[in-house]
Amino acid sequence: MIRCFLRVPFSVDAVPPIDVDSPCSRVLSASAVAAALLLMSVHGHAESKFTDSEDGAFDLSNLLLTHRGVLPVPTLITEPAVGYGLGLGLLYFSLPKKSADAPDDSKAPPNITGLGGFATGTHSWGAGLMHFHTWDDDHIRYLGLIGKVGLHLNYYGIQNQPRAYQLDGIAVVQQVLFRIGNSHWYVGPRYTFFDASTRFDSTIPAGIRQFERDQRVAKGGVVVDYDTRDNMFYPSSGTYAELEADLARGGLGSSTNFQEQTARVYQWIPLSKSWVLGLRADTGFSQGNIPFFAQPYVSLRGVCDAKFQDSNQLTAEAEIRWNATPRWSVLGFGGAGKAYGHLHSFSDAPTAFGFGTGFRYLVARKLGVTMGIDVAHGPGQNAFYVQVGSAWR
């Protein structure tokens, strides 16, 4: 579950909505989508800042960039791990000065400042502030995040039976990446801190080692990124890969010592002018005395986050997209994963799976920002997710 605030949601490489791959990250604006659909039907009467001069369609690019507008993101939370709820995010976009006059294919990604909060029917809540910034024509990428959460969650353990617990805490993430020459490679440090308090409603479940109610997770590590995507929000071609190696030690502020390595690779392959194939591989490995809530877990649409959680995880997913028009796209997806290492061996670990369909509308062409909905089926449940951009963060 710690991925909700410790695994950077607004990742420097793929600035998503405020959570980016977690209960907090499946948080996007249903009401904003509805409003967009309504406005699109009457775009001919809207002011020019709500339309695109290229095709006359409803578009927020001019509002967000030229008019320095703030994008309000009323949110409908649909992540099964924390229940249904509502929230609000405010996103402010600006273009880096040095790249404002550069050709389209060489512009740096926009700077983004975000402020948001949410609450759900399970009495889970959270609030956070983030900032993503680039300098020197995208040769330096910075990400900062601070947030506070109070989450009511389930731990599934050896028997794969839900045991309710509460997780409260404050999280801070700081990351700076530097481009290697003029290549597509970035490298730099990341520091993550989470001051956590956990409480189970009953006895401590079997399988949790050295349970401590109050713990601090403080990790320092090195991040290596490779990025050739044509757009950071909703790519149609290119590759994004990230490798991260972290150490949690007392000298960094951690209550326990452990190591963690993660790797994820996303590939978008244009099959034709209208069809795009997406491939995803995601792995996480840990060693040492890692807190149970910070362990790697399988994250898939249709799968309750942290239901499949252990010392290690492997996940694969594919997505096919049909660009029906320059603005509208329809997609289908499916994937599977396993969590193993402490509670289960790889061969004995249950397999998580999720598949479904969805759509997107290009709501800000100059930024490449899309909005839409995904509907998914997983083990014993159905779920839907209102999405801004790609579901892969």
Side-chain angles (χ1 to χ4, degrees):
M1 292 310 308
I2 200 72
R3 190 181 337 192
C4 178
F5 16 83
L6 294 194
R7 183 176 174 188
V8 186
F10 262 101
S11 161
V12 226
D13 35 272
V15 184
I18 296 181
D19 179 351
V20 222
D21 37 74
S22 66
C24 309
S25 73
R26 316 259 200 200
V27 166
L28 292 230
S29 79
S31 49
V33 172
L37 295 175
L38 176 62
L39 285 169
M40 280 184 279
S41 67
V42 295
H43 67 79
H45 302 286
E47 296 181 12
S48 60
K49 64 182 179 181
F50 293 108
T51 59
D52 188 348
S53 59
E54 186 174 277
D55 59 7
F58 171 78
D59 190 278
L60 297 178
S61 299
N62 292 332
L63 174 67
L64 297 177
L65 296 175
T66 307
H67 297 270
R68 296 187 176 276
V70 174
L71 176 65
V73 185
T75 63
L76 173 64
I77 301 170
T78 60
E79 169 53 49
V82 294
Y84 290 91
L86 298 172
L88 177 66
L90 300 175
L91 301 180
Y92 176 80
F93 296 82
S94 65
L95 289 177
K97 292 182 179 179
K98 288 192 176 182
S99 63
D101 298 324
D104 287 342
D105 60 356
S106 64
K107 283 187 177 180
N111 302 322
I112 303 176
T113 300
L115 172 67
F118 73 93
T120 76
T122 64
H123 303 290
S124 295
W125 63 274
L129 173 68
M130 62 75 57
H131 183 68
F132 171 79
H133 205 101
T134 69
W135 290 275
D136 193 19
D137 202 19
D138 200 25
H139 280 72
I140 302 174
R141 293 182 173 185
Y142 164 79
L143 176 71
L145 168 70
I146 182 169
K148 183 174 176 60
V149 295
L151 303 176
H152 291 262
L153 306 166
N154 286 313
Y155 177 74
Y156 289 84
I158 296 176
Q159 302 299 324
N160 200 30
Q161 296 297 318
R163 297 288 298 278
Y165 75 97
Q166 185 172 343
L167 176 63
D168 301 282
I170 297 176
V172 177
V173 175
Q174 294 292 303
Q175 175 175 299
V176 182
L177 298 183
F178 302 90
R179 177 180 285 187
I180 300 176
N182 290 317
S183 72
H184 297 292
W185 292 92
Y186 295 80
V187 63
R190 175 184 292 172
Y191 176 76
T192 303
F193 177 82
F194 182 55
D195 189 1
S197 176
T198 56
R199 182 177 71 251
F200 278 89
D201 290 350
S202 56
T203 58
I204 308 304
I208 294 182
R209 299 171 289 193
Q210 301 180 16
F211 174 81
E212 297 288 343
R213 177 170 177 173
D214 298 315
Q215 295 190 71
R216 293 185 308 277
V217 175
K219 304 185 298 182
V222 176
V223 177
V224 178
D225 281 1
Y226 177 76
D227 191 357
T228 63
R229 294 168 298 175
D230 60 344
N231 175 267
M232 69 189 309
F233 296 101
Y234 196 53
S236 294
S237 65
T239 302
Y240 170 71
E242 180 175 85
L243 305 175
E244 181 182 359
D246 289 314
L247 289 176
R249 294 291 185 270
L252 296 172
S254 185
S255 301
T256 60
N257 295 340
F258 64 90
Q259 299 79 241
E260 192 171 14
Q261 308 84 38
T262 62
R264 51 194 174 118
V265 180
Y266 309 146
Q267 175 79 47
W268 289 269
I269 305 169
L271 302 178
S272 68
K273 184 178 180 180
S274 301
W275 291 89
V276 177
L277 174 66
L279 301 173
R280 169 195 172 208
D282 192 317
T283 68
F285 307 96
S286 64
Q287 307 85 36
N289 190 22
I290 184 171
F292 75 94
F293 55 81
Q295 294 181 116
Y297 65 85
V298 175
S299 180
L300 286 168
R301 284 164 285 184
V303 176
C304 183
D305 270 352
K307 183 175 183 178
F308 298 86
Q309 184 174 27
D310 208 326
S311 299
N312 313 301
Q313 72 86 14
L314 297 173
T315 303
E317 190 176 13
E319 181 178 281
I320 187 71
R321 181 198 312 167
W322 174 46
N323 296 316
T325 73
R327 290 278 176 176
W328 291 95
S329 60
V330 180
L331 52 90
F333 54 85
K338 279 196 174 190
Y340 65 96
H342 170 56
L343 301 177
H344 304 279
S345 67
F346 181 82
S347 58
D348 294 334
T351 298
F353 67 89
F355 59 88
T357 185
F359 73 89
R360 299 291 188 276
Y361 176 77
L362 184 62
V363 72
R365 180 184 59 82
K366 295 178 182 179
L367 293 169
V369 176
T370 62
M371 300 181 71
I373 294 175
D374 291 337
V375 180
H377 174 75
Q381 70 176 27
N382 298 307
F384 72 94
Y385 309 92
V386 186
Q387 303 279 18
V388 171
S390 173
W392 298 347
R393 323 244 185 251

